[in-house]
Amino acid sequence: MYEDNQQAMIDALHQDLRRSKMEAVLLEVDYLINDLKNTLHHLDEWVQPTHPAKGMVNILDEVVIYNDPYGLALVIGAWNYPLQLLLLPVAGAIAAGNAVIVKPSELSVACAKFVVDMVPKYLDNDAVIVIEGGPEETSQLLKEKFDYIFYTGGTNVGKIVYEAATKYLTPVTLELGGKSPVYIDNTVDIVVTAKRLLWGKFINAGQTCIAPDYVLCTKEIQDQLVDVARKVLKEWYGEDPQKSPDLCRIVNLRHFGRLETILDASKGKVAIGGNYDAQDKFIEPTIVANVTGTDKIMEDEIFGPILPIVPVANAYEAIKFINQREHPLVLYVFSNENNIQSLFTEQTRSGSICMNDTIMFYGVETLPFGGVGNSGIGAYHGKASFDTFTHKKSCLKRNFAAIGEKLASGRYPPYTEGNLKMITALMRKRHGPSLKFLPYLLAFALGAGLSYGIFAWNKVKK
Ligand code: NAD
């Protein structure tokens, strides 16, 4: 489906968000294809039951974990990466063996149409169906019983989804948002830092759940950053950024109005940009300096091309600032100092943490991606997607061999002190090498003993 329809996907993304081909391919089309290829390469291995370590008491038993699908999964997507955020979890759900109901966001109209048209053409119609609709239809859907719900979107709706799921105790993954901070210290290469920061902020016009939301740094770094950013933005988007083919548009007028309001209400100083055009749903890449923690712009996730800078004295003040707020989806730390990196890793909580870059951690398929606290529950990507949609079914397999029965028969009444001692000794946790290979060792020793016996017997006979 992806390979046959790459251009249709690029066109749909352009229609919904005026996405450039580069961002459409890198952040959605190729991302989907690569994730799927990775899944196909590894699926045979992922589905295999695993045999975890076991203790002395189960030495003669088999201990297994089976990978069961949950059953029917509901996947609800968001509009900002309307294909990737919807179809990536759908692929994980199918890989794990689930049937899926796919609910695209109604706000990204062209991409929703792509999914409605293509999924029935390429996928098993008995196992995967698409249901279109907005809040009303989704609320109806949520009244039904599902075996798993995977939701991507804002935190408020996430709470509605979570509440609906409690009715049937349905397990959920909630991929939510929040304000992802960036800390920059004076040990960095400021030009490289500015480029990595601005790229992460302004792809998709800032409508990225892991976009840097605001910067914490000293006033000196703020001045340097603004100077470099001015040059870099001119280099990237020209004198008139509205004419650049590389900048996306705001998804609709409601979101445009929201951004206009917070920008106008901010008491910070617009250091770069600040222009907007409602007719074109265009907002210029904007940096607001000298913002305080109580500014309007610091209340909710910005989700647009506006970057506030909040001056702080040092890393400790930045950590305090971060810890006074909800746990972010990601925390970005720009510093060459290992001590500073460790300080943020140890003293803050966030879904992910990324050092000296933005966004790129999202492309590492072996890193599970998800939030913590207000930024979400659960994680996916790569094998984590398969695991998310898989129930790990534990199994103990015993047999009727006399020795096994003898070993465990001390559990039966009448209870005696002697039996209690023997069983607790068998069950006691011991520090040491795993007993996983003990049966093989015993079998090997037995085999070797037997061979030697036969060899010796033959010799005696001769
Ligand atoms: P959205 O408006 O597209 O809503 C998400 C989904 O929820 C849609 O399918 C929509 O139909 C449904 N929905 C909306 N209102 C509903 C209601 N009242 N009841 C039931 N369903 C409802 O997307 P959004 O919420 O504007 O998305 C933006 C937010 O999503 C941002 O906060 C962003 O950070 C977050 N986000 C998170 C991730 C992530 O992976 N963690 C990715 C993208 C976006």
Side-chain angles (χ1 to χ4, degrees):
M1 180 173 94
Y2 300 152
E3 283 174 349
D4 289 354
N5 298 287
Q6 289 200 32
Q7 193 54 48
M9 294 165 88
I10 294 169
D11 293 345
L13 288 162
H14 191 268
Q15 233 172 296
D16 284 336
L17 294 149
R18 229 204 65 163
R19 188 80 71 75
S20 62
K21 181 180 174 188
M22 177 95 168
E23 286 185 20
V25 171
L26 282 186
L27 306 173
E28 307 230 18
V29 182
D30 260 27
Y31 195 88
L32 281 166
I33 293 174
N34 286 327
D35 178 79
L36 202 52
K37 284 194 168 156
N38 179 56
T39 303
L40 291 170
H41 289 155
H42 293 286
L43 194 56
D44 280 350
E45 159 207 331
W46 294 346
V47 295
Q48 295 307 320
T50 51
H51 299 265
K54 55 189 176 183
M56 183 83 90
V57 79
N58 297 110
I59 201 73
L60 299 169
D61 306 329
E62 219 183 310
V63 174
V64 194
I65 302 171
Y66 292 102
N67 293 299
D68 269 9
Y70 276 103
L72 175 61
L74 169 64
V75 176
I76 304 173
W79 54 264
N80 60 329
Y81 287 84
L83 297 174
Q84 192 237 107
L85 294 174
L86 182 73
L87 297 173
L88 206 77
V90 167
I94 296 172
N98 299 274
V100 195
I101 289 186
V102 186
K103 216 300 288 173
S105 174
E106 73 286 5
L107 300 187
S108 38
V109 180
C111 288
K113 184 169 175 346
F114 173 86
V115 173
V116 168
D117 290 348
M118 293 301 162
V119 165
K121 264 197 198 170
Y122 285 87
L123 293 171
D124 178 352
N125 287 243
D126 287 333
V128 186
I129 60 168
V130 183
I131 294 186
E132 281 183 278
E136 206 182 308
E137 291 79 2
T138 314
S139 304
Q140 284 300 319
L141 256 182
L142 287 169
K143 288 186 182 149
E144 302 297 324
K145 185 172 190 289
F146 293 95
D147 301 301
Y148 202 93
I149 300 176
F150 190 107
Y151 167 83
T152 303
T155 301
N156 288 339
V157 177
K159 289 179 184 170
I160 297 174
V161 173
Y162 202 14
E163 202 173 328
T166 57
K167 185 174 170 201
Y168 297 109
L169 293 179
T170 308
V172 293
T173 296
L174 302 176
E175 293 287 341
L176 311 177
K179 290 179 89 63
S180 294
V182 181
Y183 174 72
I184 305 174
D185 77 7
N186 62 359
T187 63
V188 300
D189 177 328
I190 196 72
V191 176
V192 175
T193 298
K195 285 183 176 170
R196 292 177 181 180
L197 170 72
L198 298 174
W199 179 75
K201 179 69 189 184
F202 297 124
I203 50 169
N204 208 31
Q207 303 163 109
T208 304
C209 57
I210 50 171
D213 190 274
Y214 62 94
V215 175
L216 297 166
C217 62
T218 59
K219 284 215 177 218
E220 295 74 57
I221 295 291
Q222 171 179 267
D223 293 346
Q224 290 175 28
L225 187 66
V226 168
D227 277 351
V228 176
R230 194 171 287 118
K231 287 185 201 118
V232 169
L233 291 174
K234 199 172 274 179
E235 228 172 78
W236 286 357
Y237 305 123
E239 288 290 345
D240 182 358
Q242 194 166 357
K243 293 206 177 102
S244 163
D246 299 333
L247 280 170
C248 290
R249 295 302 186 255
I250 305 307
V251 68
N252 58 27
L253 282 174
R254 182 169 68 81
H255 280 280
F256 181 89
R258 180 182 61 76
L259 290 163
E260 192 185 0
T261 308
I262 56 169
L263 185 56
D264 290 347
S266 173
K267 295 204 164 54
K269 175 182 178 293
V270 175
I272 298 177
N275 297 311
Y276 44 79
D277 175 356
Q279 248 183 350
D280 191 19
K281 288 180 279 177
F282 174 77
I283 297 181
E284 193 179 358
T286 296
I287 296 185
V288 187
N290 292 332
V291 173
T292 62
T294 52
D295 196 277
K296 180 87 186 143
I297 219 169
M298 293 304 294
E299 277 173 19
D300 294 313
E301 182 182 0
I302 296 170
F303 224 54
I306 304 167
L307 182 67
I309 306 178
V310 182
V312 289
N314 51 38
Y316 295 101
E317 202 179 308
I319 288 172
K320 194 168 162 209
F321 191 93
I322 292 162
N323 287 342
Q324 280 165 345
R325 287 159 175 78
E326 298 291 354
H327 300 321
L329 188 54
V330 51
L331 168 60
Y332 296 112
V333 179
F334 285 82
S335 172
N336 243 331
E337 290 284 335
N338 282 335
N339 289 347
I340 295 294
Q341 295 181 4
S342 303
L343 199 67
F344 279 89
T345 309
E346 287 159 17
Q347 310 236 336
T348 62
R349 283 224 286 156
S350 55
S352 303
I353 187 161
C354 179
M355 310 298 179
N356 297 327
D357 211 330
T358 63
I359 314 289
M360 300 301 282
F361 74 98
Y362 191 85
V364 186
E365 76 229 355
T366 43
L367 287 177
F369 170 74
V372 61
N374 253 39
S375 56
I377 296 174
Y380 72 129
H381 284 192
K383 182 166 188 295
S385 297
F386 174 83
D387 287 337
T388 284
F389 287 101
T390 300
H391 168 63
K392 304 286 172 191
K393 186 161 74 183
S394 299
C395 173
L396 170 70
K397 277 192 202 178
R398 310 207 66 210
N399 58 33
F400 292 98
I403 180 160
E405 180 58 11
K406 184 89 194 135
L407 265 175
S409 63
R411 68 186 152 150
Y412 301 138
Y415 299 140
T416 64
E417 276 299 316
N419 281 349
L420 182 61
K421 268 194 191 133
M422 187 189 75
I423 293 179
T424 50
L426 273 176
M427 287 172 43
R428 188 159 304 134
K429 285 289 147 223
R430 289 172 181 84
H431 210 59
S434 155
L435 294 173
K436 204 167 149 185
F437 300 108
L438 198 61
Y440 301 104
L441 270 176
L442 288 175
F444 176 77
L446 203 68
L450 264 175
S451 316
Y452 180 75
I454 293 167
F455 170 76
W457 175 246
N458 283 339
K459 229 175 165 185
V460 169
K461 266 202 332 192
K462 270 187 204 160

